[in-house]
Amino acid sequence: MWDWGRVRFFWAEVVQNFTRNVPMALTAIGTVAISIILLGVFLYLRTSFDSVMKTLVDQVALSIYLRDDARPGDVRALAARLAADPRVDSVRYVSKKQAIEHLRQTLRGQFNLNLLNTNPLPNTIVVHARHPADIPVLAQELGRSPAVAAVNYGQGITEKLLRAERWLSAAGLIVVGLLLVATALIMYNTIRLTVFARQREIHIMQLVGATGWTVRWPFVFEGILSGLCGALLGLTALALVYHSLAPAFVVNLPFLPFHPTSVSPLHLSLELLTIGVLVGMLSSLLSVSRYVEVA
Amino acid sequence: MIVFRDVSLVYPNGVRALSEVSLTVARGEFLFLVGSTGQGKSSLLKCITREVRPTDGEVEVDGQALSLLRPGDIPYLRRKVGVVFQDFKLLHNKTVWENVAYALQVTGARSRDVLRRVPRMLDMVGLAHKSKMFPYELSGGEQQRTAIARSLVNNPLILLCDEPTGNLDPQTSGEIMTLLARINAKGTTVIVATHNQGIVDRMRRRVVRLVNGRITHDEERGRYHVGLG
């Protein structure tokens, strides 16, 4: 049967411990809040930068120029192959006529295309891949078809762009990882101090026969509470700064890789909240376990 | 009830606290452990609560060999053994009632048991009228009574007292010892480590003397100076 007296005792312990040493609790919450702000700003910038890079990379397309004398059977075979290839995201056919029309629009007034006797532009198939990194391989494979005169995807530049994207993404991940470790260490050390201040109490609990988990639980919940309050405080600060500064950034510093619409504030907030709560909980658990195991 | 068989204890820093101690304490016995500071009295008590593990030998409590205990069993051993200290070890942010109830609550007692047992215990140590006070509002003797109530509220088989009168005046010390004798009369085995000559000589109970971690004398109805010539 559920004993409300025991539940009340447990929560009273958690709340009493949390509110007893207010400066200590505020230090822990403040540390968590500052760590969450730092982490939040960086995660935000990284997600935004990633999305800018992705937009750039997604623009990479493969143009397959068909031979003018290609046999309809070969073109059909090529089209069927493209339709069946799981790496292909979309295919668009641009006829010679459409191509010259497009060029005419582009060069309007700068060059008189009527001077040409024939249309030099080939029929083209424009392919977008699901993963831009597949484009060089696709180009090589499709280039072998007898219907194909040439393929073009901005060779050289595309590879560099893809490589840059990979490196930057990895570097961002490493920095996020380091920042996470630093945040966790700072939070751990602060929360450890709050546990250290209560060594005596832990000793008394053990002497009267409390089991290891009875000793740990109030501390773990206190850690969760510190993490939660700190993360909420940090998120509030971030939200205030975001709403007052983000529009100004986008307008005044358009060259920055800053892309507010690409980041979901809800998603980021949930991530930061989870990090705050988890680090708070684990820090408390690790700190109190050290004293519990001593006895 | 408590058996020490050739127990030796060397701390990690190399200090030898106990040397080949053999001792048997029967159920319901009252025993004084005497000796000057640093002779191993507290270490012997810590072996009983498994706060330390002997380097050699075996300690048995209530028929259970402590060397065979898993870490998860230690809290259950401690519920059979109440401990009282010279510095009381009370929680200053809790009232007398809460300090006593705490020992029950952290061991998962049901709230109706807490409500039934705490007042009975406070009544026994004569503190029912001060149950709402905080430890800093009490005298030394009252704080020690609170600590005794806390150590007994779980109905332990054994009560260990480490210098229980070390911070108290002679009259209060006498009152505390009377209380311990009453507790012993109800069947609880009591071991008191002390260098308070007055109380040992007045009570004339079994006296065990420790010198350099060895038992040098063990006498029924002994006096404090047993073995000192």
Side-chain angles (χ1 to χ4, degrees), chain A residues 44-167:
Chain A
Y44 187 88
L45 289 180
R46 179 174 181 267
T47 316
S48 163
F49 181 75
D50 266 4
S51 111
V52 171
M53 272 318 268
K54 194 171 172 327
T55 314
L56 267 179
V57 170
D58 279 348
Q59 283 167 10
V60 174
L62 168 64
S63 299
I64 304 171
Y65 304 128
L66 301 177
R67 299 170 73 96
D68 282 348
D69 57 355
R71 284 186 304 193
D74 289 340
V75 176
R76 271 199 300 277
L78 181 66
R81 193 178 157 187
L82 282 169
D85 196 313
R87 292 168 296 179
V88 172
D89 185 37
S90 69
V91 177
R92 187 163 51 92
Y93 181 75
V94 183
S95 68
K96 283 168 81 79
K97 223 169 131 186
Q98 286 169 325
I100 196 94
E101 199 48 46
H102 184 248
L103 191 63
R104 203 188 296 279
Q105 296 289 330
T106 315
L107 299 178
R108 191 193 298 260
Q110 295 174 38
F111 185 76
N112 186 0
L113 289 173
N114 292 332
L115 293 174
L116 297 170
N117 293 328
T118 54
N119 178 354
L121 298 180
N123 292 317
T124 309
I125 299 174
V126 180
V127 177
H128 278 91
R130 277 182 217 282
H131 301 291
D134 289 335
I135 283 196
V137 187
L138 266 174
Q140 211 177 15
E141 287 172 16
L142 298 170
R144 293 194 207 108
S145 161
V148 174
V151 288
N152 178 27
Y153 57 90
Q155 286 93 328
I157 295 175
T158 299
E159 272 102 352
K160 274 186 193 151
L161 190 65
L162 287 172
R163 222 176 10 251
E165 194 228 358
R166 266 201 306 276
W167 276 105

Side-chain angles (χ1 to χ4, degrees), chain B residues 153-170:
Chain B
V153 76
N154 269 322
N155 281 329
L157 301 171
I158 302 163
L159 180 62
L160 306 179
C161 308
D162 195 357
E163 303 286 1
T165 57
N167 282 343
L168 306 176
D169 61 70

Side-chain angles (χ1 to χ4, degrees), chain A residues 20-33:
Chain A
R20 181 171 18 162
N21 196 340
V22 175
M24 202 62 139
L26 287 182
T27 309
I29 292 174
T31 313
V32 176

